Amino acid sequence: MTKYQIITPPTFFNELLGLPVRIQKAVTQKVKVLERDPISAQGDAKKLKNRVPPLYRVRIGDYRLIYTFDAGWVKLIAIRKRDDQTYQHDFGQIDLPEEAPPDVSFLRVPAPPEPPPSEPAIATSQPLTREVTPADLHQWRIPEQYWPALLAVRTEDDLLNAPVPQAIMERVLDILYPRSVDDILQQPQFLLNDAEDLDRFVAGELTDFLLMLDPDQQRLVETPLDKPVLVRGGPGTGKSIVALYRVQRLVASGQTPVLFTTFTNALISYSTQLLERLLQGDLEAQGVEVNTVDSVIVRQYARAYGAPRFAPEGELLNVLHKALAIAPMAGDNEAERQHRREALQALGVEYLLDEFTSVIEHWGLTTYEEYANQPRIGRKLPLRASLREAVWSVYETWSQLLRQQGWTTWGNVRRQALELARHQPARPYRAIVIDEAQDLSPVALRYLLACVESPQSIYITADAGQSLYQRGFSWQQIDSALQMRGRSFVLRRNYRNTAQIAAACASILGGADEPVAAIHNGNLPSIQFCRDITEEAMAIRDFFAAAARRWRLPAHTGAVLCHSKQVAQQICAQLNQLGLPAEFMEKKQIDIRKPVVKVMTLHSAKGLEFPFVAVLRLAQEYLPHNFDHLPPEEREEAIAQERRLFYVGCSRAMRELLVCASADQPSSFVQALPAMLWQRIEP
C-alpha cells in the first residue's frame, strides 16, 4: 500500500503541545492511519462542507484532527476540541466561511483595500482565556528562563509585550488563541519522515523540520549538478532557501568542499543557522564553508601579504585632494595641463573617488588602456579620452600615496587576491553557491570562479532590482567561461510580503502595473507625515502596537530602518523613552531573536525580514540626499541608487509597513508613490 508523505504547518506543532498527554499520543496513532489511508481513515474520515481545498476530519476522543490531502501527501492542519467555539453547529466543522476565500496568489493591484487578516486579531486588551501555570509552560516546552515573564502575564497586551522570543510567543498564542484555518493554510509546510516524528517532537528529541519547497523551487534544486545555474527572483521568492537546499544536494552527492557565499555578514549568520538545521550536523565536518566573499578574499590576501590596513573614507578623500594637486597631467603646454586639472577639480573629489571605486577598482582595471576601453555602465557623464587620461593619472598618484602611508582599499585587495587565486596550485572548492550575486563586484565574482574546480559547478541567485552596490550586471562581461544561456530560471511567487506590500514596493521602482504573485494578504502600507523625531517615535510606537494586536505577534518582532547610523541611534533613544524597548544593531551585531525592536541602517537590513517594518525619515536632503556636488549627468543615477535602497528597506516588511515622511519637506520618493497603493496619514 502507498505511504503518503506527511506535511504540516508550524502551528500544528504548537497546538499539539497544548493537548492533554493522552490525546498527544493518540494523534500519532491516527496519523499512522492517515499515512496509509487518508481517503477513508478506516471509515472515520468525514469531508467538511464548502471548502477549497477539500478538508476532512477524523476523531480523537473529544477532539477532531483536520487535514487535507492530494496525490502522495497528507497535510495536517489543526486539532480542535469538538465543543470548542471554533466549531460550527450546522456542519460540525471548525469556524470557516461558507464560501472559499478569494485566490490572491496572483494579485495585480489591490483596490479597494483588502479586508483585515483572517486570524483572530486582538483588538483591545482583555484577560487571558485562562491562567498560565508552571505545569503548562513545562508541557509546552517553554525554556525556564522565560517562565517569570509569562507567569506574570494577565492580559492579552501583557502577553504581546512579554520579553520572550517570537517563536515562544507564537507557541503560547497558538495554544491560547487558535488560528483560523484560512491563516494556517497560508503558512509554510514542513516535512515529517514518519508519524513518530510527532512523538519525538513532543518529547523534545526533534526540534527542527525540513521546509517543503513548492514545485518551481524543487525543480531548481534538482537541476543537474554539472551545469552552471542562475536563479533570478524578487524579494521573498525563496531563492536563498533554494540555494541552501542546493548545498544539501551537493553534500549528498559528495561534491565537497562547497562554499556558500554572499555579500553581507547578516546573511551569512542567517544562512549558517538554516544550513545547520538542513544538514543536521557540523558544517565544517561535512565539507561546507559559509562565508562572505570578502572574508574569503581577505584570508587569501593575508596569507601572502599580511592583514590589510583599509583606509577609512575620510583618509581616501584627504589623499585624493593631495593626488589631485600633484598628479602629472598630459598636455602640449602648461595651460592645457592646468585646464585638465581644473576640469577634474570641477568634478569634485567625491565624484572622482566614486569613479575609482565604482569603475576602475570595481572592474579590476590595471592599465590606462583597459580604462580607456571600459564601458562606464551606470555613469551618465561621458568622459572624453583626454579627461580619462587625466583621471587615470590621478588614480595612479592616489594609489601610490596610499601605499606609501600603509593604506589599501577593498578594490585593491580583491584584485590582488584574484591574482593569487589564478596562480594557486589547486582550487579549494568543488562547488560554489553564490547568493545575492548582484551585490558582488566583477572582481569578486572572478575570484570565486578562480577558486572552483570548474565554472560548471557554480550556482548563482540574483535580483537586479535589489542591487545597491554595483552598476551594470552582465555575466558575459564578468567571465567568458560563465555561460548562463539556457541555464537561467525565474522564481515569481512572493512568500514574504503581503500582496499589498509587494505591490506598493513594486511601485517604488515604477512597477505598479506589474502582476504581483503573493500568497499573503493584508492592509495597505502607510505613509505618516511627521514634523519632528518625537512625532516619528510616537507614530512608530503606535504602529507596532496596532500591528502586534492585528497579527498576534510581539511588537519587538518589528524593525526600524534608517538611512544613517546617527538617525538610527536617535530614534532608538526616543523609542526607549516612550517605553518601547529598542536597540541599535550594526551589521555584525544583528540578533533577530533578541526581544527588542531592532533599529538598524537600510544597508544592514538587506537580506533580512521582519513582520513589521518602519522606514524612517523620508525627507529631502536625507533620502534622497543632496547630490548637487555631482555633475548634473550623474545626479539621476545617484538618486536611482537611493530609490533602490528605499525599495530594499520597504521589502523587508512581511505583514505591516510604515513609512515616516517629513511633513515640511517630504521626499520626492514619497510624492511619486501612487495613492491607490499607499494609505497617507497627515499630521
Side-chain angles (χ1 to χ4, degrees), residues 178-204:
R179 295 175 186 262
S180 74
V181 170
D182 290 328
D183 179 47
I184 293 173
L185 289 173
Q186 293 185 356
Q187 291 184 333
Q189 307 299 321
F190 295 97
L191 303 175
L192 273 64
N193 290 327
D194 51 46
E196 283 80 5
D197 275 356
L198 296 174
D199 285 339
R200 288 189 282 269
F201 170 76
V202 170

PDB file of all heavy atoms in Angstrom, residues 178-204:
ATOM      1  N   PRO A 178      -6.322  29.838  19.146  1.00  0.00           N
ATOM      2  CA  PRO A 178      -6.099  29.075  17.900  1.00  0.00           C
ATOM      3  C   PRO A 178      -6.362  29.919  16.662  1.00  0.00           C
ATOM      4  O   PRO A 178      -7.309  30.710  16.602  1.00  0.00           O
ATOM      5  CB  PRO A 178      -7.111  27.923  18.016  1.00  0.00           C
ATOM      6  CG  PRO A 178      -7.361  27.779  19.489  1.00  0.00           C
ATOM      7  CD  PRO A 178      -7.286  29.165  20.042  1.00  0.00           C
ATOM      8  N   ARG A 179      -5.527  29.742  15.677  1.00  0.00           N
ATOM      9  CA  ARG A 179      -5.643  30.493  14.431  1.00  0.00           C
ATOM     10  C   ARG A 179      -6.790  29.954  13.581  1.00  0.00           C
ATOM     11  O   ARG A 179      -7.191  28.802  13.709  1.00  0.00           O
ATOM     12  CB  ARG A 179      -4.351  30.393  13.616  1.00  0.00           C
ATOM     13  CG  ARG A 179      -3.148  31.037  14.260  1.00  0.00           C
ATOM     14  CD  ARG A 179      -1.911  30.773  13.420  1.00  0.00           C
ATOM     15  NE  ARG A 179      -0.711  31.257  14.071  1.00  0.00           N
ATOM     16  CZ  ARG A 179      -0.131  32.426  13.797  1.00  0.00           C
ATOM     17  NH1 ARG A 179      -0.663  33.212  12.888  1.00  0.00           N
ATOM     18  NH2 ARG A 179       0.956  32.800  14.427  1.00  0.00           N
ATOM     19  N   SER A 180      -7.252  30.796  12.662  1.00  0.00           N
ATOM     20  CA  SER A 180      -8.235  30.328  11.689  1.00  0.00           C
ATOM     21  C   SER A 180      -7.555  29.415  10.681  1.00  0.00           C
ATOM     22  O   SER A 180      -6.347  29.526  10.422  1.00  0.00           O
ATOM     23  CB  SER A 180      -8.871  31.515  10.956  1.00  0.00           C
ATOM     24  OG  SER A 180      -7.952  32.068  10.031  1.00  0.00           O
ATOM     25  N   VAL A 181      -8.335  28.513  10.099  1.00  0.00           N
ATOM     26  CA  VAL A 181      -7.773  27.596   9.114  1.00  0.00           C
ATOM     27  C   VAL A 181      -7.302  28.350   7.877  1.00  0.00           C
ATOM     28  O   VAL A 181      -6.302  27.987   7.252  1.00  0.00           O
ATOM     29  CB  VAL A 181      -8.805  26.514   8.746  1.00  0.00           C
ATOM     30  CG1 VAL A 181      -8.344  25.705   7.548  1.00  0.00           C
ATOM     31  CG2 VAL A 181      -9.017  25.601   9.930  1.00  0.00           C
ATOM     32  N   ASP A 182      -7.993  29.434   7.500  1.00  0.00           N
ATOM     33  CA  ASP A 182      -7.551  30.220   6.340  1.00  0.00           C
ATOM     34  C   ASP A 182      -6.130  30.713   6.538  1.00  0.00           C
ATOM     35  O   ASP A 182      -5.320  30.702   5.613  1.00  0.00           O
ATOM     36  CB  ASP A 182      -8.483  31.414   6.114  1.00  0.00           C
ATOM     37  CG  ASP A 182      -9.844  30.978   5.614  1.00  0.00           C
ATOM     38  OD1 ASP A 182      -9.908  29.966   4.897  1.00  0.00           O
ATOM     39  OD2 ASP A 182     -10.843  31.642   5.940  1.00  0.00           O
ATOM     40  N   ASP A 183      -5.823  31.163   7.745  1.00  0.00           N
ATOM     41  CA  ASP A 183      -4.467  31.630   8.030  1.00  0.00           C
ATOM     42  C   ASP A 183      -3.478  30.464   8.027  1.00  0.00           C
ATOM     43  O   ASP A 183      -2.378  30.565   7.483  1.00  0.00           O
ATOM     44  CB  ASP A 183      -4.445  32.331   9.388  1.00  0.00           C
ATOM     45  CG  ASP A 183      -3.060  32.812   9.760  1.00  0.00           C
ATOM     46  OD1 ASP A 183      -2.400  33.417   8.905  1.00  0.00           O
ATOM     47  OD2 ASP A 183      -2.629  32.581  10.897  1.00  0.00           O
ATOM     48  N   ILE A 184      -3.868  29.347   8.616  1.00  0.00           N
ATOM     49  CA  ILE A 184      -2.971  28.191   8.689  1.00  0.00           C
ATOM     50  C   ILE A 184      -2.613  27.683   7.302  1.00  0.00           C
ATOM     51  O   ILE A 184      -1.474  27.289   7.041  1.00  0.00           O
ATOM     52  CB  ILE A 184      -3.623  27.072   9.531  1.00  0.00           C
ATOM     53  CG1 ILE A 184      -3.746  27.527  10.988  1.00  0.00           C
ATOM     54  CG2 ILE A 184      -2.818  25.786   9.455  1.00  0.00           C
ATOM     55  CD1 ILE A 184      -4.532  26.569  11.864  1.00  0.00           C
ATOM     56  N   LEU A 185      -3.583  27.702   6.388  1.00  0.00           N
ATOM     57  CA  LEU A 185      -3.335  27.192   5.041  1.00  0.00           C
ATOM     58  C   LEU A 185      -2.301  28.024   4.291  1.00  0.00           C
ATOM     59  O   LEU A 185      -1.741  27.569   3.293  1.00  0.00           O
ATOM     60  CB  LEU A 185      -4.644  27.131   4.253  1.00  0.00           C
ATOM     61  CG  LEU A 185      -5.628  26.045   4.688  1.00  0.00           C
ATOM     62  CD1 LEU A 185      -6.957  26.199   3.962  1.00  0.00           C
ATOM     63  CD2 LEU A 185      -5.032  24.664   4.447  1.00  0.00           C
ATOM     64  N   GLN A 186      -2.066  29.261   4.740  1.00  0.00           N
ATOM     65  CA  GLN A 186      -1.074  30.111   4.086  1.00  0.00           C
ATOM     66  C   GLN A 186       0.322  29.949   4.673  1.00  0.00           C
ATOM     67  O   GLN A 186       1.283  30.504   4.135  1.00  0.00           O
ATOM     68  CB  GLN A 186      -1.489  31.585   4.196  1.00  0.00           C
ATOM     69  CG  GLN A 186      -2.737  31.930   3.400  1.00  0.00           C
ATOM     70  CD  GLN A 186      -3.048  33.408   3.443  1.00  0.00           C
ATOM     71  OE1 GLN A 186      -2.380  34.182   4.123  1.00  0.00           O
ATOM     72  NE2 GLN A 186      -4.051  33.826   2.707  1.00  0.00           N
ATOM     73  N   GLN A 187       0.460  29.183   5.730  1.00  0.00           N
ATOM     74  CA  GLN A 187       1.761  29.041   6.377  1.00  0.00           C
ATOM     75  C   GLN A 187       2.677  28.113   5.565  1.00  0.00           C
ATOM     76  O   GLN A 187       2.206  27.288   4.779  1.00  0.00           O
ATOM     77  CB  GLN A 187       1.588  28.473   7.785  1.00  0.00           C
ATOM     78  CG  GLN A 187       0.924  29.424   8.753  1.00  0.00           C
ATOM     79  CD  GLN A 187       0.866  28.853  10.163  1.00  0.00           C
ATOM     80  OE1 GLN A 187       0.842  27.648  10.362  1.00  0.00           O
ATOM     81  NE2 GLN A 187       0.862  29.737  11.148  1.00  0.00           N
ATOM     82  N   PRO A 188       3.989  28.228   5.769  1.00  0.00           N
ATOM     83  CA  PRO A 188       4.909  27.269   5.135  1.00  0.00           C
ATOM     84  C   PRO A 188       4.666  25.869   5.666  1.00  0.00           C
ATOM     85  O   PRO A 188       4.083  25.686   6.747  1.00  0.00           O
ATOM     86  CB  PRO A 188       6.291  27.789   5.536  1.00  0.00           C
ATOM     87  CG  PRO A 188       6.060  28.609   6.766  1.00  0.00           C
ATOM     88  CD  PRO A 188       4.697  29.218   6.602  1.00  0.00           C
ATOM     89  N   GLN A 189       5.099  24.880   4.905  1.00  0.00           N
ATOM     90  CA  GLN A 189       4.857  23.486   5.273  1.00  0.00           C
ATOM     91  C   GLN A 189       6.183  22.790   5.571  1.00  0.00           C
ATOM     92  O   GLN A 189       7.179  23.011   4.884  1.00  0.00           O
ATOM     93  CB  GLN A 189       4.133  22.760   4.133  1.00  0.00           C
ATOM     94  CG  GLN A 189       2.875  23.450   3.657  1.00  0.00           C
ATOM     95  CD  GLN A 189       1.831  23.589   4.747  1.00  0.00           C
ATOM     96  OE1 GLN A 189       1.648  22.680   5.558  1.00  0.00           O
ATOM     97  NE2 GLN A 189       1.147  24.721   4.779  1.00  0.00           N
ATOM     98  N   PHE A 190       6.163  21.919   6.577  1.00  0.00           N
ATOM     99  CA  PHE A 190       7.335  21.145   6.955  1.00  0.00           C
ATOM    100  C   PHE A 190       7.091  19.666   6.687  1.00  0.00           C
ATOM    101  O   PHE A 190       5.958  19.182   6.752  1.00  0.00           O
ATOM    102  CB  PHE A 190       7.686  21.375   8.426  1.00  0.00           C
ATOM    103  CG  PHE A 190       8.114  22.783   8.728  1.00  0.00           C
ATOM    104  CD1 PHE A 190       7.216  23.711   9.230  1.00  0.00           C
ATOM    105  CD2 PHE A 190       9.419  23.192   8.479  1.00  0.00           C
ATOM    106  CE1 PHE A 190       7.610  25.013   9.493  1.00  0.00           C
ATOM    107  CE2 PHE A 190       9.820  24.489   8.740  1.00  0.00           C
ATOM    108  CZ  PHE A 190       8.916  25.399   9.240  1.00  0.00           C
ATOM    109  N   LEU A 191       8.166  18.960   6.407  1.00  0.00           N
ATOM    110  CA  LEU A 191       8.096  17.541   6.082  1.00  0.00           C
ATOM    111  C   LEU A 191       8.376  16.692   7.309  1.00  0.00           C
ATOM    112  O   LEU A 191       9.321  16.971   8.056  1.00  0.00           O
ATOM    113  CB  LEU A 191       9.111  17.198   4.987  1.00  0.00           C
ATOM    114  CG  LEU A 191       9.009  17.976   3.669  1.00  0.00           C
ATOM    115  CD1 LEU A 191      10.168  17.596   2.753  1.00  0.00           C
ATOM    116  CD2 LEU A 191       7.685  17.701   2.990  1.00  0.00           C
ATOM    117  N   LEU A 192       7.587  15.637   7.499  1.00  0.00           N
ATOM    118  CA  LEU A 192       7.844  14.647   8.535  1.00  0.00           C
ATOM    119  C   LEU A 192       8.359  13.376   7.870  1.00  0.00           C
ATOM    120  O   LEU A 192       7.849  12.974   6.819  1.00  0.00           O
ATOM    121  CB  LEU A 192       6.574  14.320   9.315  1.00  0.00           C
ATOM    122  CG  LEU A 192       6.228  15.208  10.521  1.00  0.00           C
ATOM    123  CD1 LEU A 192       5.960  16.632  10.097  1.00  0.00           C
ATOM    124  CD2 LEU A 192       5.041  14.641  11.277  1.00  0.00           C
ATOM    125  N   ASN A 193       9.369  12.768   8.466  1.00  0.00           N
ATOM    126  CA  ASN A 193       9.841  11.491   7.933  1.00  0.00           C
ATOM    127  C   ASN A 193       8.795  10.397   8.127  1.00  0.00           C
ATOM    128  O   ASN A 193       8.595   9.542   7.263  1.00  0.00           O
ATOM    129  CB  ASN A 193      11.152  11.080   8.600  1.00  0.00           C
ATOM    130  CG  ASN A 193      12.305  11.969   8.192  1.00  0.00           C
ATOM    131  OD1 ASN A 193      12.347  12.465   7.066  1.00  0.00           O
ATOM    132  ND2 ASN A 193      13.238  12.199   9.096  1.00  0.00           N
ATOM    133  N   ASP A 194       8.133  10.422   9.281  1.00  0.00           N
ATOM    134  CA  ASP A 194       7.079   9.461   9.584  1.00  0.00           C
ATOM    135  C   ASP A 194       6.263  10.003  10.746  1.00  0.00           C
ATOM    136  O   ASP A 194       6.583  11.045  11.338  1.00  0.00           O
ATOM    137  CB  ASP A 194       7.663   8.081   9.921  1.00  0.00           C
ATOM    138  CG  ASP A 194       8.749   8.151  10.989  1.00  0.00           C
ATOM    139  OD1 ASP A 194       8.544   8.836  12.013  1.00  0.00           O
ATOM    140  OD2 ASP A 194       9.813   7.544  10.777  1.00  0.00           O
ATOM    141  N   ALA A 195       5.180   9.299  11.100  1.00  0.00           N
ATOM    142  CA  ALA A 195       4.292   9.769  12.159  1.00  0.00           C
ATOM    143  C   ALA A 195       4.997   9.858  13.497  1.00  0.00           C
ATOM    144  O   ALA A 195       4.661  10.703  14.340  1.00  0.00           O
ATOM    145  CB  ALA A 195       3.079   8.840  12.248  1.00  0.00           C
ATOM    146  N   GLU A 196       5.995   8.991  13.734  1.00  0.00           N
ATOM    147  CA  GLU A 196       6.711   9.003  15.015  1.00  0.00           C
ATOM    148  C   GLU A 196       7.464  10.301  15.251  1.00  0.00           C
ATOM    149  O   GLU A 196       7.844  10.610  16.396  1.00  0.00           O
ATOM    150  CB  GLU A 196       7.672   7.819  15.102  1.00  0.00           C
ATOM    151  CG  GLU A 196       7.006   6.493  15.407  1.00  0.00           C
ATOM    152  CD  GLU A 196       6.379   5.853  14.172  1.00  0.00           C
ATOM    153  OE1 GLU A 196       6.551   6.414  13.067  1.00  0.00           O
ATOM    154  OE2 GLU A 196       5.723   4.811  14.323  1.00  0.00           O
ATOM    155  N   ASP A 197       7.694  11.079  14.190  1.00  0.00           N
ATOM    156  CA  ASP A 197       8.334  12.387  14.373  1.00  0.00           C
ATOM    157  C   ASP A 197       7.525  13.254  15.339  1.00  0.00           C
ATOM    158  O   ASP A 197       8.089  14.101  16.053  1.00  0.00           O
ATOM    159  CB  ASP A 197       8.473  13.110  13.032  1.00  0.00           C
ATOM    160  CG  ASP A 197       9.730  12.699  12.287  1.00  0.00           C
ATOM    161  OD1 ASP A 197      10.528  11.926  12.846  1.00  0.00           O
ATOM    162  OD2 ASP A 197       9.908  13.155  11.138  1.00  0.00           O
ATOM    163  N   LEU A 198       6.203  13.086  15.366  1.00  0.00           N
ATOM    164  CA  LEU A 198       5.369  13.872  16.282  1.00  0.00           C
ATOM    165  C   LEU A 198       5.664  13.508  17.729  1.00  0.00           C
ATOM    166  O   LEU A 198       5.756  14.397  18.587  1.00  0.00           O
ATOM    167  CB  LEU A 198       3.893  13.648  15.955  1.00  0.00           C
ATOM    168  CG  LEU A 198       3.436  14.139  14.575  1.00  0.00           C
ATOM    169  CD1 LEU A 198       1.991  13.722  14.313  1.00  0.00           C
ATOM    170  CD2 LEU A 198       3.589  15.646  14.450  1.00  0.00           C
ATOM    171  N   ASP A 199       5.841  12.215  18.002  1.00  0.00           N
ATOM    172  CA  ASP A 199       6.208  11.805  19.365  1.00  0.00           C
ATOM    173  C   ASP A 199       7.569  12.352  19.747  1.00  0.00           C
ATOM    174  O   ASP A 199       7.777  12.810  20.879  1.00  0.00           O
ATOM    175  CB  ASP A 199       6.223  10.276  19.469  1.00  0.00           C
ATOM    176  CG  ASP A 199       4.818   9.684  19.514  1.00  0.00           C
ATOM    177  OD1 ASP A 199       3.885  10.425  19.853  1.00  0.00           O
ATOM    178  OD2 ASP A 199       4.679   8.492  19.184  1.00  0.00           O
ATOM    179  N   ARG A 200       8.509  12.301  18.810  1.00  0.00           N
ATOM    180  CA  ARG A 200       9.862  12.800  19.087  1.00  0.00           C
ATOM    181  C   ARG A 200       9.846  14.309  19.327  1.00  0.00           C
ATOM    182  O   ARG A 200      10.595  14.826  20.157  1.00  0.00           O
ATOM    183  CB  ARG A 200      10.791  12.433  17.936  1.00  0.00           C
ATOM    184  CG  ARG A 200      11.134  10.948  17.875  1.00  0.00           C
ATOM    185  CD  ARG A 200      12.223  10.664  16.865  1.00  0.00           C
ATOM    186  NE  ARG A 200      11.710  10.654  15.505  1.00  0.00           N
ATOM    187  CZ  ARG A 200      11.266   9.554  14.884  1.00  0.00           C
ATOM    188  NH1 ARG A 200      11.256   8.394  15.522  1.00  0.00           N
ATOM    189  NH2 ARG A 200      10.816   9.624  13.647  1.00  0.00           N
ATOM    190  N   PHE A 201       8.958  15.020  18.614  1.00  0.00           N
ATOM    191  CA  PHE A 201       8.841  16.463  18.824  1.00  0.00           C
ATOM    192  C   PHE A 201       8.288  16.759  20.217  1.00  0.00           C
ATOM    193  O   PHE A 201       8.816  17.604  20.949  1.00  0.00           O
ATOM    194  CB  PHE A 201       7.938  17.084  17.760  1.00  0.00           C
ATOM    195  CG  PHE A 201       7.580  18.517  18.029  1.00  0.00           C
ATOM    196  CD1 PHE A 201       8.495  19.531  17.816  1.00  0.00           C
ATOM    197  CD2 PHE A 201       6.331  18.856  18.528  1.00  0.00           C
ATOM    198  CE1 PHE A 201       8.182  20.855  18.090  1.00  0.00           C
ATOM    199  CE2 PHE A 201       6.004  20.173  18.800  1.00  0.00           C
ATOM    200  CZ  PHE A 201       6.935  21.178  18.580  1.00  0.00           C
ATOM    201  N   VAL A 202       7.226  16.064  20.617  1.00  0.00           N
ATOM    202  CA  VAL A 202       6.625  16.290  21.928  1.00  0.00           C
ATOM    203  C   VAL A 202       7.624  15.977  23.034  1.00  0.00           C
ATOM    204  O   VAL A 202       7.688  16.668  24.058  1.00  0.00           O
ATOM    205  CB  VAL A 202       5.349  15.436  22.085  1.00  0.00           C
ATOM    206  CG1 VAL A 202       4.848  15.478  23.530  1.00  0.00           C
ATOM    207  CG2 VAL A 202       4.261  15.935  21.136  1.00  0.00           C
ATOM    208  N   ALA A 203       8.468  14.955  22.814  1.00  0.00           N
ATOM    209  CA  ALA A 203       9.459  14.562  23.823  1.00  0.00           C
ATOM    210  C   ALA A 203      10.670  15.483  23.835  1.00  0.00           C
ATOM    211  O   ALA A 203      11.540  15.354  24.699  1.00  0.00           O
ATOM    212  CB  ALA A 203       9.903  13.126  23.572  1.00  0.00           C
ATOM    213  N   GLY A 204      10.745  16.417  22.893  1.00  0.00           N
ATOM    214  CA  GLY A 204      11.877  17.332  22.836  1.00  0.00           C
ATOM    215  C   GLY A 204      13.089  16.756  22.132  1.00  0.00           C
ATOM    216  O   GLY A 204      14.160  17.376  22.126  1.00  0.00           O
TER     217      GLY A 204
END
